[in-house]
PDB file of all heavy atoms in Angstrom:
ATOM      1  N   ASN A   1      66.308  85.135 112.077  1.00 87.00           N
ATOM      2  CA  ASN A   1      67.252  85.282 113.179  1.00 87.00           C
ATOM      3  C   ASN A   1      66.829  84.354 114.313  1.00 87.00           C
ATOM      4  O   ASN A   1      66.114  84.737 115.213  1.00 87.00           O
ATOM      5  CB  ASN A   1      67.298  86.739 113.645  1.00 87.00           C
ATOM      6  CG  ASN A   1      68.428  86.978 114.623  1.00 87.00           C
ATOM      7  OD1 ASN A   1      69.272  86.126 114.822  1.00 87.00           O
ATOM      8  ND2 ASN A   1      68.428  88.141 115.229  1.00 87.00           N
ATOM      9  N   ASP A   2      67.290  83.112 114.222  1.00 93.00           N
ATOM     10  CA  ASP A   2      66.966  82.131 115.242  1.00 93.00           C
ATOM     11  C   ASP A   2      68.166  81.210 115.450  1.00 93.00           C
ATOM     12  O   ASP A   2      69.253  81.468 114.946  1.00 93.00           O
ATOM     13  CB  ASP A   2      65.707  81.341 114.860  1.00 93.00           C
ATOM     14  CG  ASP A   2      65.858  80.576 113.549  1.00 93.00           C
ATOM     15  OD1 ASP A   2      66.967  80.548 112.985  1.00 93.00           O
ATOM     16  OD2 ASP A   2      64.867  79.994 113.102  1.00 93.00           O
ATOM     17  N   GLY A   3      67.967  80.154 116.193  1.00 94.00           N
ATOM     18  CA  GLY A   3      69.055  79.224 116.471  1.00 94.00           C
ATOM     19  C   GLY A   3      69.626  78.585 115.224  1.00 94.00           C
ATOM     20  O   GLY A   3      70.832  78.347 115.131  1.00 94.00           O
ATOM     21  N   THR A   4      68.760  78.287 114.264  1.00 94.00           N
ATOM     22  CA  THR A   4      69.221  77.684 113.018  1.00 94.00           C
ATOM     23  C   THR A   4      70.137  78.643 112.264  1.00 94.00           C
ATOM     24  O   THR A   4      71.153  78.238 111.706  1.00 94.00           O
ATOM     25  CB  THR A   4      68.026  77.284 112.135  1.00 94.00           C
ATOM     26  OG1 THR A   4      67.190  76.395 112.883  1.00 94.00           O
ATOM     27  CG2 THR A   4      68.481  76.607 110.857  1.00 94.00           C
ATOM     28  N   THR A   5      69.767  79.922 112.279  1.00 93.00           N
ATOM     29  CA  THR A   5      70.612  80.932 111.627  1.00 93.00           C
ATOM     30  C   THR A   5      71.982  80.968 112.283  1.00 93.00           C
ATOM     31  O   THR A   5      73.007  80.970 111.596  1.00 93.00           O
ATOM     32  CB  THR A   5      69.976  82.331 111.746  1.00 93.00           C
ATOM     33  OG1 THR A   5      68.657  82.284 111.268  1.00 93.00           O
ATOM     34  CG2 THR A   5      70.770  83.367 110.969  1.00 93.00           C
ATOM     35  N   ARG A   6      71.994  81.036 113.595  1.00 94.00           N
ATOM     36  CA  ARG A   6      73.267  81.108 114.325  1.00 94.00           C
ATOM     37  C   ARG A   6      74.104  79.852 114.097  1.00 94.00           C
ATOM     38  O   ARG A   6      75.325  79.933 113.956  1.00 94.00           O
ATOM     39  CB  ARG A   6      73.012  81.370 115.795  1.00 94.00           C
ATOM     40  CG  ARG A   6      72.502  82.792 116.046  1.00 94.00           C
ATOM     41  CD  ARG A   6      72.340  83.098 117.526  1.00 94.00           C
ATOM     42  NE  ARG A   6      71.189  82.421 118.116  1.00 94.00           N
ATOM     43  CZ  ARG A   6      69.927  82.824 117.997  1.00 94.00           C
ATOM     44  NH1 ARG A   6      69.649  83.916 117.300  1.00 94.00           N
ATOM     45  NH2 ARG A   6      68.947  82.160 118.580  1.00 94.00           N
ATOM     46  N   GLN A   7      73.459  78.704 114.055  1.00 96.00           N
ATOM     47  CA  GLN A   7      74.178  77.451 113.800  1.00 96.00           C
ATOM     48  C   GLN A   7      74.777  77.458 112.390  1.00 96.00           C
ATOM     49  O   GLN A   7      75.937  77.096 112.198  1.00 96.00           O
ATOM     50  CB  GLN A   7      73.251  76.255 113.973  1.00 96.00           C
ATOM     51  CG  GLN A   7      73.964  74.932 113.743  1.00 96.00           C
ATOM     52  CD  GLN A   7      73.022  73.748 113.872  1.00 96.00           C
ATOM     53  OE1 GLN A   7      71.835  73.891 114.108  1.00 96.00           O
ATOM     54  NE2 GLN A   7      73.565  72.552 113.689  1.00 96.00           N
ATOM     55  N   PHE A   8      73.979  77.839 111.407  1.00 96.00           N
ATOM     56  CA  PHE A   8      74.472  77.921 110.030  1.00 96.00           C
ATOM     57  C   PHE A   8      75.637  78.899 109.949  1.00 96.00           C
ATOM     58  O   PHE A   8      76.661  78.615 109.306  1.00 96.00           O
ATOM     59  CB  PHE A   8      73.355  78.353 109.074  1.00 96.00           C
ATOM     60  CG  PHE A   8      73.807  78.466 107.648  1.00 96.00           C
ATOM     61  CD1 PHE A   8      73.793  77.369 106.809  1.00 96.00           C
ATOM     62  CD2 PHE A   8      74.269  79.681 107.141  1.00 96.00           C
ATOM     63  CE1 PHE A   8      74.221  77.461 105.495  1.00 96.00           C
ATOM     64  CE2 PHE A   8      74.699  79.790 105.831  1.00 96.00           C
ATOM     65  CZ  PHE A   8      74.685  78.680 105.006  1.00 96.00           C
ATOM     66  N   GLU A   9      75.472  80.039 110.604  1.00 96.00           N
ATOM     67  CA  GLU A   9      76.513  81.065 110.561  1.00 96.00           C
ATOM     68  C   GLU A   9      77.818  80.552 111.155  1.00 96.00           C
ATOM     69  O   GLU A   9      78.889  80.713 110.562  1.00 96.00           O
ATOM     70  CB  GLU A   9      76.042  82.323 111.282  1.00 96.00           C
ATOM     71  CG  GLU A   9      76.951  83.509 111.076  1.00 96.00           C
ATOM     72  CD  GLU A   9      76.280  84.800 111.465  1.00 96.00           C
ATOM     73  OE1 GLU A   9      75.499  84.814 112.441  1.00 96.00           O
ATOM     74  OE2 GLU A   9      76.541  85.806 110.784  1.00 96.00           O
ATOM     75  N   SER A  10      77.753  79.911 112.312  1.00 97.00           N
ATOM     76  CA  SER A  10      78.986  79.447 112.954  1.00 97.00           C
ATOM     77  C   SER A  10      79.587  78.240 112.240  1.00 97.00           C
ATOM     78  O   SER A  10      80.806  78.125 112.139  1.00 97.00           O
ATOM     79  CB  SER A  10      78.749  79.129 114.426  1.00 97.00           C
ATOM     80  OG  SER A  10      77.892  78.017 114.571  1.00 97.00           O
ATOM     81  N   GLN A  11      78.731  77.360 111.727  1.00 98.00           N
ATOM     82  CA  GLN A  11      79.223  76.132 111.110  1.00 98.00           C
ATOM     83  C   GLN A  11      79.669  76.329 109.664  1.00 98.00           C
ATOM     84  O   GLN A  11      80.626  75.695 109.218  1.00 98.00           O
ATOM     85  CB  GLN A  11      78.140  75.059 111.180  1.00 98.00           C
ATOM     86  CG  GLN A  11      78.608  73.685 110.782  1.00 98.00           C
ATOM     87  CD  GLN A  11      77.531  72.634 111.020  1.00 98.00           C
ATOM     88  OE1 GLN A  11      76.429  72.916 111.469  1.00 98.00           O
ATOM     89  NE2 GLN A  11      77.852  71.396 110.698  1.00 98.00           N
ATOM     90  N   PHE A  12      78.979  77.195 108.930  1.00 98.00           N
ATOM     91  CA  PHE A  12      79.265  77.330 107.496  1.00 98.00           C
ATOM     92  C   PHE A  12      79.684  78.732 107.081  1.00 98.00           C
ATOM     93  O   PHE A  12      80.668  78.903 106.353  1.00 98.00           O
ATOM     94  CB  PHE A  12      78.039  76.907 106.669  1.00 98.00           C
ATOM     95  CG  PHE A  12      77.633  75.485 106.886  1.00 98.00           C
ATOM     96  CD1 PHE A  12      76.519  75.180 107.641  1.00 98.00           C
ATOM     97  CD2 PHE A  12      78.376  74.452 106.348  1.00 98.00           C
ATOM     98  CE1 PHE A  12      76.143  73.861 107.855  1.00 98.00           C
ATOM     99  CE2 PHE A  12      78.012  73.126 106.546  1.00 98.00           C
ATOM    100  CZ  PHE A  12      76.886  72.837 107.308  1.00 98.00           C
ATOM    101  N   TRP A  13      78.918  79.732 107.481  1.00 97.00           N
ATOM    102  CA  TRP A  13      79.148  81.077 106.963  1.00 97.00           C
ATOM    103  C   TRP A  13      80.473  81.664 107.445  1.00 97.00           C
ATOM    104  O   TRP A  13      81.267  82.144 106.632  1.00 97.00           O
ATOM    105  CB  TRP A  13      77.984  82.010 107.311  1.00 97.00           C
ATOM    106  CG  TRP A  13      78.170  83.363 106.709  1.00 97.00           C
ATOM    107  CD1 TRP A  13      78.528  84.511 107.354  1.00 97.00           C
ATOM    108  CD2 TRP A  13      78.066  83.710 105.331  1.00 97.00           C
ATOM    109  NE1 TRP A  13      78.642  85.543 106.471  1.00 97.00           N
ATOM    110  CE2 TRP A  13      78.370  85.071 105.214  1.00 97.00           C
ATOM    111  CE3 TRP A  13      77.756  82.995 104.189  1.00 97.00           C
ATOM    112  CZ2 TRP A  13      78.351  85.730 103.996  1.00 97.00           C
ATOM    113  CZ3 TRP A  13      77.745  83.651 102.976  1.00 97.00           C
ATOM    114  CH2 TRP A  13      78.044  85.009 102.897  1.00 97.00           C
ATOM    115  N   SER A  14      80.719  81.628 108.745  1.00 97.00           N
ATOM    116  CA  SER A  14      81.961  82.224 109.274  1.00 97.00           C
ATOM    117  C   SER A  14      83.211  81.579 108.681  1.00 97.00           C
ATOM    118  O   SER A  14      84.145  82.303 108.291  1.00 97.00           O
ATOM    119  CB  SER A  14      81.979  82.153 110.796  1.00 97.00           C
ATOM    120  OG  SER A  14      80.978  82.989 111.321  1.00 97.00           O
ATOM    121  N   PRO A  15      83.273  80.229 108.602  1.00 98.00           N
ATOM    122  CA  PRO A  15      84.446  79.645 107.926  1.00 98.00           C
ATOM    123  C   PRO A  15      84.565  80.063 106.459  1.00 98.00           C
ATOM    124  O   PRO A  15      85.667  80.294 105.960  1.00 98.00           O
ATOM    125  CB  PRO A  15      84.212  78.133 108.042  1.00 98.00           C
ATOM    126  CG  PRO A  15      83.314  77.972 109.211  1.00 98.00           C
ATOM    127  CD  PRO A  15      82.436  79.196 109.213  1.00 98.00           C
ATOM    128  N   LEU A  16      83.430  80.184 105.785  1.00 97.00           N
ATOM    129  CA  LEU A  16      83.452  80.618 104.387  1.00 97.00           C
ATOM    130  C   LEU A  16      83.993  82.039 104.266  1.00 97.00           C
ATOM    131  O   LEU A  16      84.785  82.337 103.363  1.00 97.00           O
ATOM    132  CB  LEU A  16      82.058  80.528 103.776  1.00 97.00           C
ATOM    133  CG  LEU A  16      81.937  80.951 102.313  1.00 97.00           C
ATOM    134  CD1 LEU A  16      82.795  80.056 101.419  1.00 97.00           C
ATOM    135  CD2 LEU A  16      80.480  80.930 101.881  1.00 97.00           C
ATOM    136  N   VAL A  17      83.591  82.913 105.174  1.00 97.00           N
ATOM    137  CA  VAL A  17      84.097  84.289 105.166  1.00 97.00           C
ATOM    138  C   VAL A  17      85.611  84.279 105.326  1.00 97.00           C
ATOM    139  O   VAL A  17      86.340  84.942 104.575  1.00 97.00           O
ATOM    140  CB  VAL A  17      83.419  85.136 106.280  1.00 97.00           C
ATOM    141  CG1 VAL A  17      84.125  86.468 106.458  1.00 97.00           C
ATOM    142  CG2 VAL A  17      81.942  85.340 105.969  1.00 97.00           C
ATOM    143  N   SER A  18      86.107  83.520 106.296  1.00 97.00           N
ATOM    144  CA  SER A  18      87.556  83.451 106.536  1.00 97.00           C
ATOM    145  C   SER A  18      88.299  82.907 105.321  1.00 97.00           C
ATOM    146  O   SER A  18      89.315  83.473 104.894  1.00 97.00           O
ATOM    147  CB  SER A  18      87.848  82.573 107.743  1.00 97.00           C
ATOM    148  OG  SER A  18      87.301  83.134 108.902  1.00 97.00           O
ATOM    149  N   GLU A  19      87.802  81.818 104.764  1.00 97.00           N
ATOM    150  CA  GLU A  19      88.456  81.214 103.606  1.00 97.00           C
ATOM    151  C   GLU A  19      88.415  82.132 102.393  1.00 97.00           C
ATOM    152  O   GLU A  19      89.376  82.194 101.617  1.00 97.00           O
ATOM    153  CB  GLU A  19      87.803  79.880 103.268  1.00 97.00           C
ATOM    154  CG  GLU A  19      88.073  78.803 104.299  1.00 97.00           C
ATOM    155  CD  GLU A  19      87.309  77.525 104.036  1.00 97.00           C
ATOM    156  OE1 GLU A  19      86.913  77.293 102.877  1.00 97.00           O
ATOM    157  OE2 GLU A  19      87.119  76.751 104.989  1.00 97.00           O
ATOM    158  N   THR A  20      87.336  82.856 102.231  1.00 96.00           N
ATOM    159  CA  THR A  20      87.213  83.761 101.090  1.00 96.00           C
ATOM    160  C   THR A  20      88.183  84.932 101.223  1.00 96.00           C
ATOM    161  O   THR A  20      88.784  85.359 100.229  1.00 96.00           O
ATOM    162  CB  THR A  20      85.766  84.249 100.947  1.00 96.00           C
ATOM    163  OG1 THR A  20      84.919  83.106 100.773  1.00 96.00           O
ATOM    164  CG2 THR A  20      85.603  85.168  99.753  1.00 96.00           C
ATOM    165  N   ARG A  21      88.347  85.438 102.427  1.00 95.00           N
ATOM    166  CA  ARG A  21      89.327  86.519 102.635  1.00 95.00           C
ATOM    167  C   ARG A  21      90.731  86.048 102.296  1.00 95.00           C
ATOM    168  O   ARG A  21      91.498  86.764 101.646  1.00 95.00           O
ATOM    169  CB  ARG A  21      89.255  87.018 104.072  1.00 95.00           C
ATOM    170  CG  ARG A  21      88.039  87.852 104.337  1.00 95.00           C
ATOM    171  CD  ARG A  21      88.008  88.372 105.754  1.00 95.00           C
ATOM    172  NE  ARG A  21      86.787  89.131 105.966  1.00 95.00           N
ATOM    173  CZ  ARG A  21      86.136  89.192 107.102  1.00 95.00           C
ATOM    174  NH1 ARG A  21      86.591  88.548 108.161  1.00 95.00           N
ATOM    175  NH2 ARG A  21      85.032  89.891 107.202  1.00 95.00           N
ATOM    176  N   VAL A  22      91.082  84.838 102.748  1.00 97.00           N
ATOM    177  CA  VAL A  22      92.397  84.278 102.440  1.00 97.00           C
ATOM    178  C   VAL A  22      92.554  84.112 100.928  1.00 97.00           C
ATOM    179  O   VAL A  22      93.585  84.456 100.351  1.00 97.00           O
ATOM    180  CB  VAL A  22      92.605  82.934 103.176  1.00 97.00           C
ATOM    181  CG1 VAL A  22      93.841  82.198 102.669  1.00 97.00           C
ATOM    182  CG2 VAL A  22      92.694  83.157 104.681  1.00 97.00           C
ATOM    183  N   TYR A  23      91.512  83.596 100.280  1.00 94.00           N
ATOM    184  CA  TYR A  23      91.530  83.404  98.828  1.00 94.00           C
ATOM    185  C   TYR A  23      91.738  84.727  98.096  1.00 94.00           C
ATOM    186  O   TYR A  23      92.586  84.826  97.204  1.00 94.00           O
ATOM    187  CB  TYR A  23      90.229  82.738  98.373  1.00 94.00           C
ATOM    188  CG  TYR A  23      89.995  82.836  96.887  1.00 94.00           C
ATOM    189  CD1 TYR A  23      90.689  82.015  96.005  1.00 94.00           C
ATOM    190  CD2 TYR A  23      89.097  83.766  96.368  1.00 94.00           C
ATOM    191  CE1 TYR A  23      90.482  82.111  94.641  1.00 94.00           C
ATOM    192  CE2 TYR A  23      88.886  83.859  95.000  1.00 94.00           C
ATOM    193  CZ  TYR A  23      89.576  83.037  94.147  1.00 94.00           C
ATOM    194  OH  TYR A  23      89.384  83.143  92.801  1.00 94.00           O
ATOM    195  N   HIS A  24      90.976  85.755  98.463  1.00 94.00           N
ATOM    196  CA  HIS A  24      91.100  87.041  97.783  1.00 94.00           C
ATOM    197  C   HIS A  24      92.480  87.655  98.010  1.00 94.00           C
ATOM    198  O   HIS A  24      93.053  88.263  97.096  1.00 94.00           O
ATOM    199  CB  HIS A  24      89.996  88.002  98.210  1.00 94.00           C
ATOM    200  CG  HIS A  24      88.687  87.715  97.556  1.00 94.00           C
ATOM    201  ND1 HIS A  24      87.500  87.747  98.224  1.00 94.00           N
ATOM    202  CD2 HIS A  24      88.378  87.379  96.277  1.00 94.00           C
ATOM    203  CE1 HIS A  24      86.521  87.439  97.400  1.00 94.00           C
ATOM    204  NE2 HIS A  24      87.030  87.205  96.209  1.00 94.00           N
ATOM    205  N   HIS A  25      93.012  87.492  99.205  1.00 95.00           N
ATOM    206  CA  HIS A  25      94.347  88.011  99.499  1.00 95.00           C
ATOM    207  C   HIS A  25      95.391  87.279  98.638  1.00 95.00           C
ATOM    208  O   HIS A  25      96.267  87.916  98.033  1.00 95.00           O
ATOM    209  CB  HIS A  25      94.640  87.831 100.988  1.00 95.00           C
ATOM    210  CG  HIS A  25      95.931  88.419 101.430  1.00 95.00           C
ATOM    211  ND1 HIS A  25      96.151  89.777 101.487  1.00 95.00           N
ATOM    212  CD2 HIS A  25      97.087  87.837 101.826  1.00 95.00           C
ATOM    213  CE1 HIS A  25      97.382  90.001 101.901  1.00 95.00           C
ATOM    214  NE2 HIS A  25      97.969  88.837 102.116  1.00 95.00           N
ATOM    215  N   ALA A  26      95.278  85.958  98.563  1.00 94.00           N
ATOM    216  CA  ALA A  26      96.218  85.176  97.754  1.00 94.00           C
ATOM    217  C   ALA A  26      96.079  85.510  96.270  1.00 94.00           C
ATOM    218  O   ALA A  26      97.084  85.617  95.553  1.00 94.00           O
ATOM    219  CB  ALA A  26      95.989  83.686  97.991  1.00 94.00           C
ATOM    220  N   LEU A  27      94.848  85.688  95.819  1.00 92.00           N
ATOM    221  CA  LEU A  27      94.614  86.039  94.421  1.00 92.00           C
ATOM    222  C   LEU A  27      95.236  87.399  94.090  1.00 92.00           C
ATOM    223  O   LEU A  27      95.829  87.578  93.025  1.00 92.00           O
ATOM    224  CB  LEU A  27      93.119  86.035  94.112  1.00 92.00           C
ATOM    225  CG  LEU A  27      92.707  86.263  92.664  1.00 92.00           C
ATOM    226  CD1 LEU A  27      93.353  85.230  91.741  1.00 92.00           C
ATOM    227  CD2 LEU A  27      91.195  86.233  92.548  1.00 92.00           C
ATOM    228  N   GLU A  28      95.116  88.329  95.021  1.00 92.00           N
ATOM    229  CA  GLU A  28      95.723  89.652  94.821  1.00 92.00           C
ATOM    230  C   GLU A  28      97.237  89.532  94.677  1.00 92.00           C
ATOM    231  O   GLU A  28      97.838  90.137  93.778  1.00 92.00           O
ATOM    232  CB  GLU A  28      95.366  90.555  95.997  1.00 92.00           C
ATOM    233  CG  GLU A  28      95.874  91.964  95.862  1.00 92.00           C
ATOM    234  CD  GLU A  28      95.444  92.835  97.039  1.00 92.00           C
ATOM    235  OE1 GLU A  28      94.381  92.591  97.619  1.00 92.00           O
ATOM    236  OE2 GLU A  28      96.210  93.767  97.361  1.00 92.00           O
ATOM    237  N   HIS A  29      97.865  88.729  95.535  1.00 94.00           N
ATOM    238  CA  HIS A  29      99.315  88.541  95.445  1.00 94.00           C
ATOM    239  C   HIS A  29      99.705  87.828  94.157  1.00 94.00           C
ATOM    240  O   HIS A  29     100.721  88.165  93.539  1.00 94.00           O
ATOM    241  CB  HIS A  29      99.844  87.766  96.656  1.00 94.00           C
ATOM    242  CG  HIS A  29      99.932  88.599  97.885  1.00 94.00           C
ATOM    243  ND1 HIS A  29     100.861  89.609  98.047  1.00 94.00           N
ATOM    244  CD2 HIS A  29      99.191  88.601  99.010  1.00 94.00           C
ATOM    245  CE1 HIS A  29     100.692  90.188  99.211  1.00 94.00           C
ATOM    246  NE2 HIS A  29      99.674  89.602  99.824  1.00 94.00           N
ATOM    247  N   LEU A  30      98.911  86.871  93.739  1.00 93.00           N
ATOM    248  CA  LEU A  30      99.177  86.172  92.485  1.00 93.00           C
ATOM    249  C   LEU A  30      99.109  87.137  91.311  1.00 93.00           C
ATOM    250  O   LEU A  30      99.975  87.133  90.431  1.00 93.00           O
ATOM    251  CB  LEU A  30      98.182  85.026  92.288  1.00 93.00           C
ATOM    252  CG  LEU A  30      98.271  84.282  90.955  1.00 93.00           C
ATOM    253  CD1 LEU A  30      99.637  83.634  90.780  1.00 93.00           C
ATOM    254  CD2 LEU A  30      97.160  83.256  90.858  1.00 93.00           C
ATOM    255  N   MET A  31      98.091  87.985  91.288  1.00 91.00           N
ATOM    256  CA  MET A  31      97.957  88.958  90.198  1.00 91.00           C
ATOM    257  C   MET A  31      99.144  89.922  90.177  1.00 91.00           C
ATOM    258  O   MET A  31      99.656  90.254  89.104  1.00 91.00           O
ATOM    259  CB  MET A  31      96.647  89.733  90.331  1.00 91.00           C
ATOM    260  CG  MET A  31      95.420  88.912  90.075  1.00 91.00           C
ATOM    261  SD  MET A  31      95.400  88.348  88.359  1.00 91.00           S
ATOM    262  CE  MET A  31      94.416  86.905  88.517  1.00 91.00           C
ATOM    263  N   ASP A  32      99.582  90.343  91.354  1.00 92.00           N
ATOM    264  CA  ASP A  32     100.754  91.221  91.433  1.00 92.00           C
ATOM    265  C   ASP A  32     101.995  90.514  90.875  1.00 92.00           C
ATOM    266  O   ASP A  32     102.761  91.099  90.108  1.00 92.00           O
ATOM    267  CB  ASP A  32     101.005  91.662  92.874  1.00 92.00           C
ATOM    268  CG  ASP A  32      99.945  92.618  93.396  1.00 92.00           C
ATOM    269  OD1 ASP A  32      99.173  93.183  92.588  1.00 92.00           O
ATOM    270  OD2 ASP A  32      99.877  92.787  94.635  1.00 92.00           O
ATOM    271  N   ALA A  33     102.178  89.252  91.265  1.00 94.00           N
ATOM    272  CA  ALA A  33     103.337  88.499  90.789  1.00 94.00           C
ATOM    273  C   ALA A  33     103.273  88.290  89.276  1.00 94.00           C
ATOM    274  O   ALA A  33     104.298  88.384  88.585  1.00 94.00           O
ATOM    275  CB  ALA A  33     103.419  87.151  91.511  1.00 94.00           C
ATOM    276  N   LEU A  34     102.096  88.019  88.759  1.00 92.00           N
ATOM    277  CA  LEU A  34     101.950  87.851  87.311  1.00 92.00           C
ATOM    278  C   LEU A  34     102.253  89.142  86.558  1.00 92.00           C
ATOM    279  O   LEU A  34     102.873  89.113  85.491  1.00 92.00           O
ATOM    280  CB  LEU A  34     100.548  87.351  86.967  1.00 92.00           C
ATOM    281  CG  LEU A  34     100.252  85.907  87.339  1.00 92.00           C
ATOM    282  CD1 LEU A  34      98.781  85.591  87.118  1.00 92.00           C
ATOM    283  CD2 LEU A  34     101.138  84.952  86.565  1.00 92.00           C
ATOM    284  N   GLN A  35     101.842  90.261  87.112  1.00 91.00           N
ATOM    285  CA  GLN A  35     102.142  91.547  86.460  1.00 91.00           C
ATOM    286  C   GLN A  35     103.643  91.809  86.445  1.00 91.00           C
ATOM    287  O   GLN A  35     104.183  92.290  85.447  1.00 91.00           O
ATOM    288  CB  GLN A  35     101.399  92.684  87.156  1.00 91.00           C
ATOM    289  CG  GLN A  35      99.948  92.738  86.778  1.00 91.00           C
ATOM    290  CD  GLN A  35      99.266  93.981  87.292  1.00 91.00           C
ATOM    291  OE1 GLN A  35      99.686  94.580  88.283  1.00 91.00           O
ATOM    292  NE2 GLN A  35      98.196  94.373  86.626  1.00 91.00           N
ATOM    293  N   VAL A  36     104.324  91.479  87.524  1.00 93.00           N
ATOM    294  CA  VAL A  36     105.766  91.653  87.579  1.00 93.00           C
ATOM    295  C   VAL A  36     106.417  90.743  86.542  1.00 93.00           C
ATOM    296  O   VAL A  36     107.314  91.154  85.803  1.00 93.00           O
ATOM    297  CB  VAL A  36     106.315  91.360  88.995  1.00 93.00           C
ATOM    298  CG1 VAL A  36     107.829  91.242  88.992  1.00 93.00           C
ATOM    299  CG2 VAL A  36     105.859  92.440  89.968  1.00 93.00           C
ATOM    300  N   ALA A  37     105.973  89.491  86.477  1.00 94.00           N
ATOM    301  CA  ALA A  37     106.535  88.548  85.510  1.00 94.00           C
ATOM    302  C   ALA A  37     106.302  89.016  84.083  1.00 94.00           C
ATOM    303  O   ALA A  37     107.213  88.922  83.234  1.00 94.00           O
ATOM    304  CB  ALA A  37     105.926  87.154  85.727  1.00 94.00           C
ATOM    305  N   LEU A  38     105.133  89.515  83.811  1.00 91.00           N
ATOM    306  CA  LEU A  38     104.850  90.035  82.460  1.00 91.00           C
ATOM    307  C   LEU A  38     105.725  91.240  82.138  1.00 91.00           C
ATOM    308  O   LEU A  38     106.235  91.362  81.013  1.00 91.00           O
ATOM    309  CB  LEU A  38     103.375  90.406  82.332  1.00 91.00           C
ATOM    310  CG  LEU A  38     102.401  89.243  82.227  1.00 91.00           C
ATOM    311  CD1 LEU A  38     100.965  89.753  82.300  1.00 91.00           C
ATOM    312  CD2 LEU A  38     102.624  88.486  80.933  1.00 91.00           C
ATOM    313  N   ALA A  39     105.915  92.103  83.095  1.00 91.00           N
ATOM    314  CA  ALA A  39     106.744  93.288  82.875  1.00 91.00           C
ATOM    315  C   ALA A  39     108.206  92.879  82.616  1.00 91.00           C
ATOM    316  O   ALA A  39     108.860  93.460  81.758  1.00 91.00           O
ATOM    317  CB  ALA A  39     106.657  94.225  84.078  1.00 91.00           C
ATOM    318  N   LEU A  40     108.682  91.885  83.346  1.00 90.00           N
ATOM    319  CA  LEU A  40     110.046  91.402  83.141  1.00 90.00           C
ATOM    320  C   LEU A  40     110.181  90.730  81.775  1.00 90.00           C
ATOM    321  O   LEU A  40     111.234  90.838  81.136  1.00 90.00           O
ATOM    322  CB  LEU A  40     110.444  90.434  84.251  1.00 90.00           C
ATOM    323  CG  LEU A  40     110.650  91.037  85.640  1.00 90.00           C
ATOM    324  CD1 LEU A  40     110.884  89.947  86.673  1.00 90.00           C
ATOM    325  CD2 LEU A  40     111.802  92.028  85.636  1.00 90.00           C
ATOM    326  N   GLY A  41     109.134  90.052  81.330  1.00 86.00           N
ATOM    327  CA  GLY A  41     109.173  89.382  80.039  1.00 86.00           C
ATOM    328  C   GLY A  41     109.162  90.346  78.880  1.00 86.00           C
ATOM    329  O   GLY A  41     109.595  90.016  77.770  1.00 86.00           O
ATOM    330  N   GLU A  42     108.679  91.553  79.113  1.00 84.00           N
ATOM    331  CA  GLU A  42     108.613  92.557  78.053  1.00 84.00           C
ATOM    332  C   GLU A  42     109.928  93.290  77.871  1.00 84.00           C
ATOM    333  O   GLU A  42     110.073  94.050  76.925  1.00 84.00           O
ATOM    334  CB  GLU A  42     107.485  93.551  78.350  1.00 84.00           C
ATOM    335  CG  GLU A  42     106.113  92.927  78.275  1.00 84.00           C
ATOM    336  CD  GLU A  42     105.010  93.885  78.691  1.00 84.00           C
ATOM    337  OE1 GLU A  42     105.315  95.020  79.137  1.00 84.00           O
ATOM    338  OE2 GLU A  42     103.841  93.504  78.587  1.00 84.00           O
ATOM    339  N   ARG A  43     110.869  93.055  78.726  1.00 75.00           N
ATOM    340  CA  ARG A  43     112.153  93.769  78.630  1.00 75.00           C
ATOM    341  C   ARG A  43     112.999  93.249  77.526  1.00 75.00           C
ATOM    342  O   ARG A  43     113.111  92.286  77.019  1.00 75.00           O
ATOM    343  CB  ARG A  43     112.936  93.659  79.937  1.00 75.00           C
ATOM    344  CG  ARG A  43     112.314  94.443  81.029  1.00 75.00           C
ATOM    345  CD  ARG A  43     113.184  94.375  82.225  1.00 75.00           C
ATOM    346  NE  ARG A  43     112.578  95.116  83.322  1.00 75.00           N
ATOM    347  CZ  ARG A  43     113.110  95.248  84.500  1.00 75.00           C
ATOM    348  NH1 ARG A  43     114.262  94.690  84.747  1.00 75.00           N
ATOM    349  NH2 ARG A  43     112.526  95.903  85.434  1.00 75.00           N
TER     350      ARG A  43
END
């Protein structure tokens, strides 16, 4: 817990956290859409 940690966190870690949340949210929506498409294809 020093200046290097804080610099790494602000420069790399925090953006990675934000991007990962967006990715997981998009992946969840993609999986939902794929399930709907599969269900429609089974009709």
